[in-house]
Amino acid sequence: MHAALFSATRIKNSTTGALPATRTLMLASREHQAIRGWASNRLLGMSDEKKLVVGDEAPNFNVLNQDGVSVSLADYKGKKVILYFYPAASTPGCTKEACDFNDSLNPLKAAGYHVLGISPDAPKKLEKFHTEQSLNFPLLSDPELGVHKAFGAYGKKSMYGKEYEGVIRSTFVIDEAGKIALALYNVKATGHVAMLRKQLAI
């Protein structure tokens, strides 16, 4: 990071032989901005893992749902999918998000979308959550975090100045060809579904 600044000091002013003060300040400012940008990403809880972008192939997976039945992304080939990652079933934020998706299920289905929720929870816990909230879409279990990591939805986070690893609340829209049509990281539980529907014009 200091190499650019060091190299620049070797460029001499044709008149005085010294590096112009404005040039030095500009380089120092850019370096400071780069450091601040890196630090900001860390504080915002952004993962160092590779993030998926529009056009990427959605990683396939095969996991169990709340009923212990195997579910694969390949099962939805030729269909549009909304796959959302949440930290833990039965917690306030995750309950709010799940119920919002459930309340919007009919218009989403009418637009051709299939909703899938996924978390590290075991199928038994998901079954209880699914029943208690009367959810009408599958909840998937990923206790080994393989799917989370493949989608970049697990990584470094920060809270109250302490860094830790955890689930990054994220939502992906996958098109009929199995490509990422929309990738949303670090979303908020409240209001997320409404924002997503607006983006999808539903």
Side-chain angles (χ1 to χ4, degrees), residues 176-193:
E176 298 92 333
K179 303 283 187 180
I180 300 295
L182 191 62
L184 302 172
Y185 289 96
N186 292 297
V187 303
K188 293 183 178 180
T190 302
H192 170 56
V193 176

Side-chain angles (χ1 to χ4, degrees), residues 134-172:
S134 301
L135 301 179
N136 296 307
F137 59 89
L139 297 178
L140 309 181
S141 173
D142 183 33
E144 301 299 321
L145 301 171
V147 185
H148 285 70
K149 292 178 180 178
F151 278 80
Y154 186 88
K156 292 184 177 65
K157 302 174 70 175
S158 181
M159 182 179 290
Y160 304 119
K162 293 184 178 181
E163 191 175 87
Y164 65 99
E165 288 196 336
V167 175
I168 299 169
R169 195 183 298 275
S170 309
T171 296
F172 302 89

